[in-house]
Amino acid sequence: MNDTHQAATGQVAVRPGAASLTSVFVRLKLALLRNGLRQSSGRRAVYVTSIVLVMLVTALQMLGLIALRGTAHSAALTTLLVVVLALGWAVMPLFFASGDETLDPTRLVMLPLRPIPLVMALLTASLVGIGPVFTLAIIVGSVIATAHGAAATVVGGLATVLTVLVCLALARAVATANIRLLTSRRGRDLAVLSGLIIGVGMQFVNLGVRQLGAAGGLQALQPVADVLRWVPPGSAMDAVRAASDGKYGIAVAELGITTTGLVLLLWWWLRSLTRLMTSPDSSTLQAAAQPDTARGGRAGIAGLLPAGRTGAVMLRSLRYIWRDPKTKTAWMSSLTLGLLVPILNAAQGHGSLYFAFFAPGLLGMQMYNQFGQDTSAFWMVLQTIASPADAYAELRARALTMSLIAVPYVALGVTAVAAVTGDWRGLPEVLGLSFALLGTLLGTGALTSALFPYSIPQGSGFKNVAPGQVGIAWLSLFGGLVTGALFCSPLIALTIWLHISGSFGLVWTLLPLGAAYGFCAAWGGLRLAGPRVAARLPEILLAVSKG
Amino acid sequence: MEHGRAPAAVRIEGLWKQFGQQAAVAGVDLELPAGQFIGLVGPNGAGKTTTLSMVTGLLRPDSGRVEIGGHDVWSDPVAVKSRIGVLPEGLRLFERLSGRELLSYTGRLRGLPGDEVDRRATQLLDVLDLAGAQHKLVVDYSTGMRKKIGLAAALLHNPEILFLDEPFEGVDPVSAQTIRGVLERYTASGATVVFSSHVMELVESLCSWVAVMAAGRIRAYGPVADVRGTAASLQAAFLELVGAQRTASGDSLDWLGGDAR
């Protein structure tokens, strides 16, 4: 790459022009894409498959949008779609900062580059990639869905270019303004939480789509679209509709709004870029100047917990639920989805109290792979476990932490679902079975933690298993779940029998029975797991230290 | 070469560990004398970390025996684990705890009474110059601070023997001097320190006793003066022992430097 060399060593007199700089960045981006193929054959297959899948989804989206052509209120959908798309572009760098190396301009800080050619070169280079192709396809599809007539087609062409540029400039500007945060520890923590936000967000999107279906058409979107048509890049998309309707004045005004938005974004980007590249990184200075204050809640919780290993382990586990992004994600998604799924289902009228099993099921799963959650820091635990009794105490403390949150949560959650569904009669049995399930999962979780530990990669919000350990992770989770279900089967059989024989007067006994059953299952699992952990300490450390 | 006259703190017999085709540790026999500052030296990949991991119970050996203070590491862990302190290399700490919380957690896990843990933690944080950062999360610590908090956690239960894997790797000179001071005070009281390193100058100035390792085997061991022998420095003796020759600096980099410009 002669140009890079030139750029790197270029003397002040022969500064590379904007055109050559642009071609350098475009070629850099192409090289990065191509290098995605130069991996191990397995990862290459994943890479190619993901590209093919994205292309397929893109094609389907486009076809779907084209099929909407002529439908009333289709412009409401396309306006909303384009704004959501732009929002996605704005948020994306916050979660995937490490995904695109060219997003971090501080890597270029040693090169003699002028800001305006740099912005133009980076903007052009960011057109290369799967994301822009996907965006372009959706926008073109949207234009085809809404453009009627020659004028509207011309406006559509302009709108497409403007919208793509707004999306890219937005992503770049947000990334540049926040790059110090994104490359810091807090930024990486945020990225790990993205899995949670996407998971919970999907539930709401799901709900929205269903309600749209229930409302009977796109007209439900009209009030939202009436606001968004004045917000770039939604304004560009609405301009196509305006031109189709013959309202050329509005179309020009809306295109103008989008153009102004684009110029403002570019100006913001340019400013942050200049400031970033010419001022020193002050993150370490800030860190040094920060007053060192004790973390709150210390005396409060610590005072209530038992002394010795049990209290120490519980306190650390509780702190990790709040402070460790990976653990936090797992807990928050369990707590949110455990209630959201049954209540959303109930709210739509086809809910059942039995959906409440989501809560104990998801929370109980947190007991699985306990030592994998420790990562290689497990050695600190290993050094203090000298006997099966120590291992039992360690596991019991962890199960107690789970129960501290899970028992009241399940009790309140199941009651709440009963309130929403109005099925108060089913409450005792579902609550009893929930406690039984929770206890069984705690017991089997302790056992599988001892027998099938695996590493949880820390950097990514989406990878929960290290390469090469997928088999053992599935074995641990599904083997455990099946065993858990089998363990609960006597109680389930009893429930069914009580219902079939019509002994409804005795159904309440399932509550104390289930609670006792769960307690015994958890205790038994912990008792069995203790000696296994004590005997397998180095093997567990090896298994959880990968990746 | 003569053995140390003091009774053995660690006795290793026929220790062996194989990773795939390669024997990382290929039959180590060694007796480490008590009350000494002991250096385990060798080039990268010599098997130092693997040996220390097996001695401290972090890694199960394929064969061989390890005794610490007369107790077998694998059959009598209760007696061994309370007597040793460990600072491994390449393994994490519980990084989402603050420095003080980490010590408080470790001490209670070791079964020490709560107020005693807090008293010792305060002193260790003071001596290791971490008092100012005690409420900061370990994840935000520098390399030197991590090594120091790891050392504090290893010392908290007052072990008889301390095993440190590369305790000075990536540590700034000020932190290194602090760590050195604490370790010297600790051995002066009759305790044993075993640490691995590939920095010979450091080992020569700190240790009273060394074992030289290369390619999974012990090449030489004994008091530093004995191992150095007639060589000018431990570095020279070491290079001779592991059989590393200086490569001839012919004309392969003849463009590098002022004359070629």
Side-chain angles (χ1 to χ4, degrees):
Chain A
M1 289 243 262
N2 270 330
D3 290 334
T4 356
H5 189 246
Q6 199 184 355
T9 59
Q11 293 88 9
V12 186
V14 278
R15 191 181 304 288
S20 73
L21 191 63
T22 305
S23 79
V24 169
F25 277 108
V26 170
R27 268 188 279 160
L28 175 66
K29 198 66 192 285
L30 285 171
L32 287 172
L33 272 177
R34 214 172 30 242
N35 285 351
L37 286 169
R38 291 169 57 177
Q39 304 176 21
S40 70
S41 54
R43 292 179 66 183
R44 190 163 53 212
V46 171
Y47 183 76
V48 173
T49 317
S50 63
I51 291 182
V52 171
L53 274 177
V54 168
M55 287 304 159
L56 232 107
V57 170
T58 311
L60 283 175
Q61 290 263 21
M62 206 166 158
L63 281 175
L65 282 167
I66 294 172
L68 276 178
R69 189 178 160 83
T71 317
H73 302 288
S74 59
L77 177 70
T78 55
T79 305
L80 177 66
L81 196 64
V82 163
V83 173
V84 170
L85 202 63
L87 207 67
W89 274 96
V91 177
M92 192 203 63
L94 302 178
F95 293 153
F96 305 101
S98 54
D100 183 352
E101 279 95 341
T102 61
L103 272 177
D104 182 0
T106 51
R107 286 165 197 263
L108 310 170
V109 82
M110 294 307 285
L111 305 177
L113 301 168
R114 291 263 138 217
I116 292 180
L118 181 60
V119 160
M120 289 307 147
L122 283 172
L123 190 64
T124 318
S126 55
L127 281 168
V128 180
I130 307 171
V133 170
F134 176 75
T135 309
L136 189 69
I138 287 191
I139 295 169
V140 169
S142 301
V143 168
I144 294 175
T146 47
H148 300 278
T153 312
V154 173
V155 172
L158 280 172
T160 307
V161 174
L162 279 174
T163 311
V164 171
L165 288 180
V166 165
C167 286
L168 295 175
L170 188 61
R172 293 276 157 167
V174 169
T176 306
N178 296 297
I179 200 73
R180 291 268 156 80
L181 166 74
L182 294 180
T183 49
S184 72
R185 198 254 303 163
R186 280 181 200 289
R188 277 177 272 128
D189 287 1
L190 185 74
V192 173
L193 280 174
S194 61
L196 166 68
I197 294 163
I198 290 173
V200 174
M202 290 290 274
Q203 287 298 317
F204 282 103
V205 170
N206 190 16
L207 180 70
V209 170
R210 280 203 221 169
Q211 288 208 322
L212 204 62
L218 295 175
Q219 72 205 54
L221 294 175
Q222 201 57 56
V224 185
D226 282 341
V227 178
L228 293 181
R229 56 192 274 220
W230 301 111
V231 179
S235 49
M237 209 37 69
D238 198 63
V240 183
R241 179 203 56 85
S244 298
D245 294 352
K247 295 172 186 156
Y248 300 113
I250 292 184
V252 169
E254 285 177 328
L255 282 181
I257 290 175
T258 313
T259 314
T260 314
L262 178 62
V263 169
L264 282 176
L265 275 176
L266 288 174
W267 176 76
W268 180 37
W269 179 15
L270 193 67
R271 245 184 49 130
S272 344
L273 196 63
T274 311
R275 202 178 48 227
L276 186 70
M277 305 271 266
T278 53
S279 62
D281 184 352
S282 57
S283 58
T284 48
L285 293 175
Q286 270 172 3
Q290 257 172 18
D292 189 48
T293 47
R295 288 175 178 273
R298 180 189 149 72
I301 311 169
L304 297 173
L305 295 174
R309 179 185 282 272
T310 306
V313 172
M314 287 180 76
L315 190 60
R316 186 195 63 75
S317 302
L318 287 172
R319 280 176 170 145
Y320 259 58
I321 292 173
W322 183 246
R323 290 186 199 162
D324 181 53
K326 205 84 195 189
T327 317
K328 193 178 190 171
T329 309
W331 271 92
M332 292 298 163
S333 15
S334 298
L335 290 173
T336 324
L337 294 182
L339 261 188
L340 208 60
V341 170
I343 288 188
L344 281 185
N345 273 299
Q348 286 166 44
H350 43 79
S352 150
L353 185 51
Y354 288 94
F355 270 113
F357 287 129
F358 260 89
L362 287 171
L363 283 179
M365 297 291 277
Q366 299 307 316
M367 188 68 193
Y368 282 65
N369 200 25
Q370 270 299 313
F371 305 123
Q373 296 177 29
D374 291 1
T375 70
S376 57
F378 175 70
W379 76 268
M380 301 193 83
V381 179
L382 181 156
Q383 277 298 321
T384 63
I385 292 180
S387 65
D390 289 342
Y392 169 70
E394 172 78 29
L395 282 168
R396 188 189 53 192
R398 290 175 189 235
L400 278 173
T401 316
M402 307 270 136
S403 318
L404 202 64
I405 300 171
V407 170
Y409 178 84
V410 166
L412 288 174
V414 174
T415 314
V417 177
V420 176
T421 54
D423 185 5
W424 289 106
R425 270 212 346 214
L427 181 61
E429 66 179 271
V430 172
L431 201 52
L433 283 174
S434 291
F435 285 137
L437 179 63
L438 183 65
T440 314
L441 288 177
L442 289 182
T444 50
L447 258 179
T448 48
S449 295
L451 297 175
F452 309 112
Y454 58 91
S455 298
I456 302 176
Q458 293 299 297
S460 155
F462 300 96
K463 267 190 251 150
N464 283 314
V465 184
Q469 290 185 317
V470 179
I472 201 153
W474 280 78
L475 192 65
S476 160
L477 283 172
F478 284 85
L481 268 182
V482 169
T483 320
L486 282 177
F487 248 86
C488 281
S489 57
L491 218 57
I492 298 170
L494 179 65
T495 314
I496 296 172
W497 182 76
L498 284 177
H499 276 273
I500 291 176
S501 66
S503 327
F504 293 108
L506 287 173
V507 163
W508 68 269
T509 54
L510 284 167
L511 177 55
L513 242 135
Y517 196 90
F519 179 81
C520 292
W523 181 80
L526 292 172
R527 274 279 165 216
L528 279 175
R532 305 289 178 290
V533 170
R536 286 173 43 84
L537 287 170
E539 285 73 23
I540 294 174
L541 179 63
L542 201 66
V544 300
S545 303
K546 293 189 171 121
Chain B
M1 229 161 280
E2 99 190 272
H3 286 235
R5 275 164 294 274
V10 181
R11 178 174 291 127
I12 305 170
E13 282 171 24
L15 201 62
W16 191 288
K17 184 75 192 180
Q18 191 109 11
F19 292 120
Q21 288 295 305
Q22 202 196 348
V25 173
V28 165
D29 296 286
L30 197 60
E31 269 184 32
L32 304 178
Q36 304 257 15
F37 209 130
I38 298 169
L40 180 62
V41 301
N44 292 330
K48 305 187 295 288
T49 296
T50 311
T51 305
L52 283 182
S53 299
M54 289 192 286
V55 169
T56 53
L58 297 176
L59 182 69
R60 200 183 295 280
D62 292 341
S63 64
R65 268 172 63 81
V66 180
E67 270 180 19
I68 290 179
H71 303 276
D72 189 288
V73 169
W74 294 98
S75 62
D76 192 2
V78 179
V80 170
K81 284 191 173 161
S82 59
R83 283 183 167 82
I84 63 169
V86 185
L87 176 59
E89 159 78 3
L91 297 179
R92 291 164 190 259
L93 301 164
F94 282 105
E95 291 171 356
R96 301 284 164 163
L97 299 180
S98 70
R100 177 170 276 281
E101 286 166 0
L102 185 74
L103 294 186
S104 157
Y105 166 73
T106 314
R108 284 170 173 83
L109 233 54
R110 291 272 185 194
L112 298 172
D115 43 358
E116 178 64 17
V117 173
D118 294 338
R119 197 177 66 85
R120 291 184 185 185
T122 306
Q123 289 181 3
L124 279 167
L125 288 166
D126 256 349
V127 170
L128 286 166
D129 207 15
L130 286 172
Q134 59 176 319
H135 299 303
K136 216 196 234 183
L137 294 191
V138 175
V139 71
D140 294 327
Y141 275 19
S142 66
T143 310
M145 289 160 84
R146 275 166 201 252
K147 293 274 184 195
K148 287 195 288 185
I149 199 71
L151 179 64
L155 285 171
L156 201 59
H157 58 295
N158 190 22
E160 290 166 24
I161 309 175
L162 193 58
F163 294 93
L164 312 168
D165 196 0
E166 302 281 4
F168 298 99
E169 189 80 348
V171 176
D172 66 281
V174 179
S175 299
Q177 191 52 43
T178 313
I179 294 178
R180 224 177 137 141
V182 172
L183 292 181
E184 276 167 347
R185 193 192 313 181
Y186 174 71
T187 41
S189 70
T192 312
V193 172
V194 182
F195 84 99
S196 74
S197 178
H198 50 234
V199 186
M200 290 310 139
E201 291 80 1
L202 189 77
V203 172
E204 193 165 14
S205 69
L206 263 177
C207 296
S208 49
W209 206 95
V210 287
V212 181
M213 213 175 167
R217 287 190 173 83
I218 298 292
R219 294 299 170 92
Y221 61 91
V224 173
D226 294 3
V227 172
R228 184 169 50 219
T230 55
S233 66
L234 191 62
Q235 167 92 359
F238 172 77
L239 289 176
E240 204 172 294
L241 275 167
V242 302
Q245 283 110 9
R246 266 176 201 286
T247 46
S249 55
D251 57 357
S252 56
L253 288 179
D254 56 356
W255 51 268
L256 189 62
D259 291 344
R261 221 170 269 145

